[in-house]
Amino acid sequence: MKRNLLYVGAACACGLFATATANAQEVVVEEESVSVVEAANCKTHYSVDKGDNWFIQLGAGIDVPLFENELAGGKDPKRHITATYNLGVGRWFSPYLGFRLSAYYGAWHWDNVNFSKAQMVNLNLDFMWDMCNSLGGVNAGRPVSVIPFVGLGGTYVWDIKSEGRNIHKKDGGTRSREWLLPVSAGIQFRFRLCRYVDFFLEGRASFYGDNANGCAYDKSIDINVQATGGFSFNLGGVNYQAYNECKDLAYINSLNNQVNGLRGELAATAAALAAAEAQLPCPEVKESPAPAKVYAPMMSTVRFTINSDKITDEEMVNVYNTAEYLKSNPDVNVVIKGYADKDTGTAEYNQKLSGRRAQAVYDTLTKTYGINANRLSIDAEGSSTQPYDTNDWNRIVIFVPGN
């Protein structure tokens, strides 16, 4: 109010000049609007933190060796099925590609003049491709995935017992063990039981030279077919960090619209002030009661990465701004509303995830910045409500005034 009195007094002091030019005076305000041009073909990029997406695989199944196959005396040979056991460890280093070191132990049975057998252990390095994430979009909670793979490995075969046309050693005896370097290919069907456990069914064909079973005749390639099933245990769950280069454009545009609106109000205020200055002699100034206190709107939000309730360093700035706002406005209470992306996870899981996001912001405001807990409340909206049309933007916490 004191500032207004001084301003009007200064206008009175130059009354003659203002009177002479009042009718000719015009105020021209040029508005410079700001906007953000939305980028075309926005892409979502994914990354994996160190230590994430490792898994351990335990399984069992069958071996069917497709080796030389004949019996003496014109008897009909048959293919034999034996048990095999599997242990593996691997990691998905992106939503699309991963690797696995997988070991198998079992026995091979086949017909070579008489019934023949051997024991074997096999170690493979497999390169895996998540076909569903590549072709159908990334979804860490997808219930069923199809995963083709190829592998390179080593196989040790020992205790070979065969009476057929075996490979002989220099001393005239037959070879009872073999070292082999197979290549393999296969496909895995993965069924998500929960974030930490998958059930899998898998088929693999391993290709060897003709000496895999200590025999070398007929076909030039020996093949072992495996079918296994078991469980994969995801250490720490499945986590991918997603970033879309356009995700913040709508938020920036909303802020720019507010800036443009304030500029328009400033231009109107400048024009009104100029008109008031032109009306001389100065009108009597009457003091008016102080206006009611008006709080500035809260514009901060806190965004989260996919399937995460961790506040990133970038978003911590918005939590800090909200804390400063609450300290400056001690009569304001706030509801912390948490949301989740409806395209990721189930509705039940998203309800819990949105609550954890809101709780993380609540804990930071109270424990880190000292905001009185009585001024805050939490509302977990889940994925039933989506504040934004673009789903990636709905991994968010929004502040609204409370009672």
Side-chain angles (χ1 to χ4, degrees):
M1 183 57 66
K2 291 180 179 179
R3 183 179 177 183
N4 289 339
L5 291 172
L6 292 174
Y7 203 92
V8 174
C12 292
C14 57
L16 293 176
F17 176 79
T19 303
T21 59
N23 294 330
Q25 184 174 9
E26 268 187 20
V27 175
V28 178
V29 177
E30 295 183 3
E31 292 188 36
E32 295 181 4
S33 62
V34 292
S35 62
V36 173
V37 179
E38 186 169 353
N41 301 321
C42 296
K43 295 182 179 180
T44 300
H45 305 278
Y46 296 90
S47 62
V48 177
D49 287 343
K50 294 180 180 179
D52 278 355
N53 297 343
W54 286 90
F55 63 88
I56 295 175
Q57 175 180 297
L58 296 174
I62 60 172
D63 280 326
V64 183
L66 306 180
F67 300 157
E68 292 80 5
N69 200 41
E70 66 177 14
L71 288 174
K75 297 179 181 179
D76 292 331
K78 63 179 181 180
R79 300 295 181 187
H80 296 275
I81 297 174
T82 57
T84 187
Y85 305 95
N86 163 238
L87 171 64
V89 60
R91 183 183 184 228
W92 290 98
F93 50 85
S94 81
Y96 317 108
L97 298 174
F99 73 89
R100 175 183 62 180
L101 195 63
S102 191
Y104 297 84
Y105 166 76
W108 286 342
H109 294 169
W110 72 97
D111 289 338
N112 185 20
V113 178
N114 288 310
F115 175 76
S116 304
K117 63 181 181 178
Q119 297 187 70
M120 74 88 188
V121 63
N122 170 247
L123 185 65
N124 287 294
L125 177 61
D126 298 325
F127 300 92
M128 311 173 73
W129 174 48
D130 193 316
M131 186 169 65
C132 294
N133 274 349
S134 298
L135 303 181
V138 176
N139 182 356
R142 180 174 277 110
V144 180
S145 295
V146 180
I147 304 171
F149 61 88
V150 294
L152 300 173
T155 302
Y156 177 59
V157 185
W158 74 99
D159 198 20
I160 299 175
K161 296 179 180 179
S162 176
E163 298 180 6
R165 287 175 276 182
N166 298 332
I167 301 174
H168 292 273
K169 299 186 292 185
K170 292 181 179 180
D171 61 4
T174 59
R175 291 166 63 169
S176 63
R177 63 187 63 191
E178 296 285 351
W179 286 96
L180 308 162
L181 296 174
V183 296
S184 60
I187 190 167
Q188 180 186 95
F189 297 91
R190 184 183 67 197
F191 303 90
R192 177 63 39 85
L193 302 182
C194 67
R195 181 183 175 189
Y196 302 98
V197 182
D198 299 333
F199 175 73
F200 72 89
L201 295 173
E202 180 177 306
R204 177 197 294 271
S206 299
F207 302 89
Y208 300 90
D210 194 22
N211 61 327
N213 58 341
C215 307
Y217 70 94
D218 193 14
K219 299 177 182 179
S220 59
I221 297 177
D222 287 340
I223 302 174
N224 182 52
V225 176
Q226 289 178 318
T228 55
F231 296 93
S232 288
F233 301 93
N234 305 311
L235 307 182
V238 180
N239 301 292
Y240 302 119
Q241 283 69 51
Y243 173 72
N244 189 295
E245 54 201 32
C246 303
K247 73 171 185 176
D248 294 323
L249 288 179
Y251 183 56
I252 294 173
N253 267 326
S254 68
L255 296 179
N256 287 337
N257 290 335
Q258 294 181 43
V259 172
N260 293 334
L262 293 174
R263 284 181 171 174
E265 294 177 9
L266 180 61
T269 302
L273 178 60
E277 290 175 347
Q279 296 176 5
L280 295 176
C282 300
E284 182 181 355
V285 177
K286 296 181 179 179
E287 289 199 23
S288 57
K293 189 172 183 180
V294 177
Y295 298 112
M298 287 183 296
M299 295 182 288
S300 293
T301 60
V302 182
R303 297 179 181 273
F304 293 83
T305 57
I306 187 172
N307 197 30
S308 173
D309 57 13
K310 179 181 178 181
I311 303 173
T312 64
D313 292 341
E314 293 84 356
E315 294 300 317
M316 191 62 74
V317 174
N318 291 333
V319 182
Y320 170 80
N321 289 339
T322 301
E324 291 300 304
Y325 170 86
L326 292 172
K327 291 176 182 178
S328 300
N329 299 277
D331 298 330
V332 173
N333 297 331
V334 168
V335 179
I336 304 171
K337 288 181 172 285
Y339 296 87
D341 175 8
K342 69 178 181 181
D343 282 355
T344 304
T346 64
E348 180 181 0
Y349 180 79
N350 287 339
Q351 186 70 29
K352 297 178 180 178
L353 177 59
S354 67
R356 295 200 305 269
R357 287 171 172 168
Q359 186 67 47
V361 174
Y362 175 94
D363 291 342
T364 303
L365 287 172
T366 55
K367 297 177 182 178
T368 303
Y369 296 116
I371 302 302
N372 191 328
N374 294 331
R375 300 176 60 192
L376 308 175
S377 59
I378 291 176
D379 188 359
E381 294 288 343
S383 57
S384 58
T385 302
Q386 300 285 272
Y388 296 105
D389 294 334
T390 302
N391 289 327
D392 287 352
W393 299 347
N394 292 306
R395 303 168 191 140
I396 197 170
V397 159
I398 296 176
F399 302 100
V400 299
N403 296 326

